[in-house]
Amino acid sequence: MAVVRFGVSLQEDQLEALDNYVKDSQFANRSQAFRQLISKNLVENKWQHNKVVAGVITLVYNHHKRDLSLKLTDIQHDYYDVILSTQHFHLDYDKCLEIVVVKGKALRLTELSDKLIAVKGIQHGKLVMSTVD
Ligand code: NI
């Protein structure tokens, strides 16, 4: 796609905040930071409007916890229509990392993610959202 240049007017404090964001996120320049902010906003907008989106749910848990992995599997079967793939990694003797790749209506994906993360014994869970187009 062609790159178009345009001028942006900002207040001094906003420019300072932008430059800090560029520095902290190690962007090459302000344009790259703007592009990132815009695309992030577009993705979030799609989620807010319950459009079809893609995402990944990451779960970390102790596999010795009773029935935990069974519960995770039960929940995933209830949402088979939005799950593209599940991958399981044995991190060490106790810990497992599971990633669930999903695609579907934003609200249904959020619902699935909330249920998985709420399972007792999940140490860390996060849904990362992306876009499909
Ligand atoms: Ni494991």
Side-chain angles (χ1 to χ4, degrees), residues 70-85:
L70 279 175
K71 277 180 197 152
L72 294 180
T73 306
D74 277 350
I75 296 169
Q76 290 185 46
H77 273 274
D78 290 337
Y79 289 83
Y80 72 90
D81 55 303
V82 293
I83 296 176
L84 296 176
S85 173

Side-chain angles (χ1 to χ4, degrees), residues 47-51 53 104-112:
W47 276 70
Q48 278 160 11
H49 291 93
N50 199 23
K51 296 269 169 58
V53 289
K105 290 273 187 84
L107 288 178
R108 187 155 169 80
L109 302 188
T110 309
E111 198 181 272
L112 166 61

Side-chain angles (χ1 to χ4, degrees), residues 38-88:
I38 290 165
S39 91
K40 199 173 148 210
N41 186 272
L42 290 175
V43 169
E44 277 169 13
N45 209 33
K46 277 185 183 151
W47 276 70
Q48 278 160 11
H49 291 93
N50 199 23
K51 296 269 169 58
V52 171
V53 289
V56 179
I57 303 163
T58 307
L59 304 163
V60 175
Y61 59 91
N62 185 322
H63 105 116
H64 292 116
K65 290 256 180 191
R66 222 179 128 74
D67 294 341
L68 204 159
S69 46
L70 279 175
K71 277 180 197 152
L72 294 180
T73 306
D74 277 350
I75 296 169
Q76 290 185 46
H77 273 274
D78 290 337
Y79 289 83
Y80 72 90
D81 55 303
V82 293
I83 296 176
L84 296 176
S85 173
T86 300
Q87 200 166 3
H88 185 104

